[in-house]
Amino acid sequence: MHNHPRSPVSASLALDIQDISKTFKQKKQHLQVLDAISLQVHTGEFVSIVGPSGSGKSTLFHIIGGLTAPDHGSIRLHDQDITGQKGHISYVPQQPALFPWRTIEDNVILALEVAGVPLKEARQEAAQWLERAGLADFRQAYPQTLSGGMQQRVAFLRGLISRQELMLLDEPFSALDAFTRSDMQRWLLDIWEENRRSVLFITHNIEEALLLSDTIYLFSSRPARPIHQLHVPFSRPRSEDIIEDPEFRKLKKQLSHLMREEQQKGMDFGRLEGNL
Ligand code: ADP
Ligand code: MG
């Protein structure tokens, strides 16, 4: 019996995306959004996608979640083909999307309720998580009485509490102000390092990606394809002090440069299209 230390990167594949392409066709307009995308998330790994806005990142999430059909390619989850199927992953969308008529607690337990977990058990579990998220006093409150950051935390807990192993997080902090965002990053880092779910995370923010991730894929402008893959070298648990580390700054500079080049290309292409 070999007893290798379990590193998230050497563990088994959770998500295997192979060769996904997508073109939206409306009347005579064809918009190619994804161009032969392949990427992997290993079990317990935190993987980020960073790419220009409008490049097709959310579309890729819709395809993984079975909400949009790809033209080509496959999605495998723990070696099972789930292409075009719903219900296999936990998905936290860009907007918190809480149900206004449900209390915070009832929003959090939604996935468990759908999965048939007894209500009492679901509520007990939700109460523990809400406590940990600093939301114990808001169990019986309604979403509209909470700040944006709190609503985002509730949406995140709803994803975390579900029994699905893989979480997709689509720019969950993009609508938050800088202070709340930094609090939320630290909070997510702590919670994730304790639980080690497999995560695929979309962000615009390179610093956020470097702070949180094991692996980063940089996407091109539309049609999106991975143009750069980086294994983030910092050990865990991490503290946000690593943003002062010279290696962190160097990587941030490199990625920012690549991203700026890519956005520039996108803009040139936009001008070209406009001139035709
Ligand atoms: P990102 O998340 O990277 O900002 P999206 O995946 O949301 O990008 O969108 C990529 C492109 O695809 C955009 O130009 C968007 O308008 C277009 N798009 C997204 N969904 C559809 C759809 N259902 N039909 C037609 N075009 C779409
Ligand atoms: Mg998006």
Side-chain angles (χ1 to χ4, degrees), residues 57-58 94 170-171 202:
K57 305 179 299 297
S58 294
Q94 206 157 348
D170 192 349
E171 305 204 43
I202 292 176

Side-chain angles (χ1 to χ4, degrees), residues 28 142 242 255-256:
K28 284 181 184 158
Y142 287 87
I242 62 167
L255 289 175
S256 305

Side-chain angles (χ1 to χ4, degrees), residues 122-148:
R123 287 191 197 289
Q124 273 171 1
E125 203 172 322
Q128 286 170 12
W129 280 109
L130 286 164
E131 174 91 47
R132 285 220 45 202
L135 294 167
D137 293 344
F138 296 89
R139 277 170 63 185
Q140 301 307 323
Y142 287 87
Q144 58 274 25
T145 66
L146 271 63
S147 70

Side-chain angles (χ1 to χ4, degrees), residues 190-215:
D190 287 349
I191 292 234
W192 181 82
E193 283 181 344
E194 268 176 43
N195 293 274
R196 288 292 178 128
R197 298 274 289 270
S198 310
V199 170
L200 189 57
F201 183 86
I202 292 176
T203 179
H204 257 88
N205 187 313
I206 287 165
E207 194 168 285
E208 182 169 285
L210 281 168
L211 177 66
L212 297 171
S213 318
D214 298 306
T215 301

Side-chain angles (χ1 to χ4, degrees), residues 6 8 20 32 46 64 92 95 112 115 121 150-151 163 166 182 190 194 245 253 256 266 275:
R6 260 178 70 94
I20 290 285
Q32 191 187 5
F46 196 119
I64 298 169
V92 181
Q95 296 301 321
L112 296 182
E121 191 185 321
M150 286 165 139
Q151 291 189 27
R163 298 293 191 254
L166 177 73
S182 145
D190 287 349
E194 268 176 43
D245 188 299
K253 217 168 155 180
S256 305
N275 286 338

Side-chain angles (χ1 to χ4, degrees), residues 206-207 210 233-234 241-257:
I206 287 165
E207 194 168 285
L210 281 168
F234 307 107
D241 296 343
I242 62 167
I243 66 176
E244 307 295 340
D245 188 299
E247 177 71 7
F248 188 98
R249 290 199 196 156
K250 194 181 102 197
L251 291 171
K252 185 179 164 188
K253 217 168 155 180
Q254 269 176 8
L255 289 175
S256 305
H257 179 73

